[in-house]
Structure formats: structure tokens, C-alpha cells
Amino acid sequence: VNARFVRPLDEGLLASQLAFYDIKDRTLLVSHGGNSSEFLSAGNRFVEGAILVNSFFQGSTDPTVRSFVSRYQAKYQEFPDLFAAQAYDCVQMILLALKSGATQPDQVRDNLAQVRGFHGASGLTTFHPKGLVEKRLFVIQVKNGKYVQVN
């Protein structure tokens, strides 16, 4: 299978162009931000089977994500985005640090640096000693005109 990497801006339109020019055996790999209604409408049937990766997927089957999305929708009458999920997770991790006895900013920082496998609304988060953050991405695919999680 030939894979083509495209940017989220025009990936839906690009999919129809690939079909127009009879480019076969293609799988679209779409970067962060591609899982939007505009992508589905612009690409129509040509985006079927496209694979997307994202840091947050509001349609995830994960119970933690489902709970967050449900509570967010009830409060704000809209779906949360990546930034809402990350903000929520940040507050949850800070609260855990405070509950563990951290009272000073440097103690909170040191506590956060020890986070390994935090299961939050934006997936799993691990902090590494030099301050890098590891996130597990959601792998999403277009199936029957809808986004479904495949990992």
C-alpha cells in the first residue's frame, strides 16, 4: 500500500483529487487535527479508510475519555477539544500532587516529574526525567463515513 502524508488543511479535497487522477492503492495518513466534519464532507467517499492520529479523540471508547466528554458536554453544551482535555488532565495531575502533600511550587513540579502512565482524558501521560512528555496517540480510521478508534 502506498501511503501519502498530507496536512489537515486540505486533506479531504486531496483525497478526491487522488481518485480523480486514478491513483490507486492509496491510504491517506492524516496528521493531528484532521478528524473534523470538514474532512469528511470535503473528502466524501474518497476518505473512506483514511488513518488519522490525534492527541485526543472525543469519540474514544475509553471509559475515562467517555466520562470526561459526557461531563464536559453537560456543563458547556459542546464537545471538548484537545485543549480542554489537556487542561483537565493538567489540573487532575496537580490535584494529585497536592493530595500527596506537595505544598510548594517546587514540590508540585517534582511530583509532576514523577508521573508515569497517568490515565486521563487525553490518554496516557508519562513525564521523563529531563522534562519530556510521552503521550500515547489515538489512532482513528474513517469507516462507513464515521471516525472510529482502532487502537
Side-chain angles (χ1 to χ4, degrees):
V1 172
N2 290 328
R4 308 273 189 236
F5 288 90
V6 296
R7 296 184 47 152
L9 182 60
D10 293 318
E11 65 279 307
L13 295 173
L14 177 61
S16 61
Q17 287 296 304
L18 290 172
F20 177 80
Y21 287 104
D22 203 27
I23 297 174
K24 298 189 187 306
D25 297 325
R26 60 179 165 60
T27 298
L28 289 178
L29 301 175
V30 183
S31 64
H32 169 79
N35 59 327
S36 66
S37 59
E38 292 83 14
F39 173 71
L40 291 176
S41 62
N44 200 340
R45 69 189 192 307
F46 304 110
V47 297
E48 187 67 26
I51 297 171
L52 306 91
V53 292
N54 210 331
S55 303
F56 174 66
F57 178 46
Q58 67 190 18
S60 174
T61 57
D62 182 286
T64 303
V65 177
R66 296 290 343 127
S67 174
F68 167 71
V69 170
S70 175
R71 288 180 288 126
Y72 188 96
Q73 275 187 291
K75 176 126 179 121
Y76 300 106
Q77 287 75 52
E78 64 183 25
F79 282 105
D81 61 11
L82 168 64
F83 302 113
Q86 287 178 332
Y88 177 81
D89 287 351
C90 287
V91 169
Q92 295 305 308
M93 286 185 272
I94 291 169
L95 287 173
L96 287 173
L98 296 173
K99 287 177 183 177
S100 75
T103 58
Q104 301 297 315
D106 60 333
Q107 293 172 325
V108 172
R109 179 202 61 219
D110 293 345
N111 192 292
L112 291 174
Q114 300 302 312
V115 169
R116 303 288 184 272
F118 174 80
H119 189 176
S122 65
L124 292 176
T125 302
T126 295
F127 288 94
H128 292 282
K130 297 206 181 233
L132 296 176
V133 178
E134 179 182 327
K135 296 288 295 176
R136 181 172 178 220
L137 296 174
F138 291 89
V139 179
I140 307 160
Q141 188 169 28
V142 177
K143 290 187 178 178
N144 299 317
K146 296 184 188 299
Y147 295 111
V148 295
Q149 185 175 337
V150 294
N151 73 332

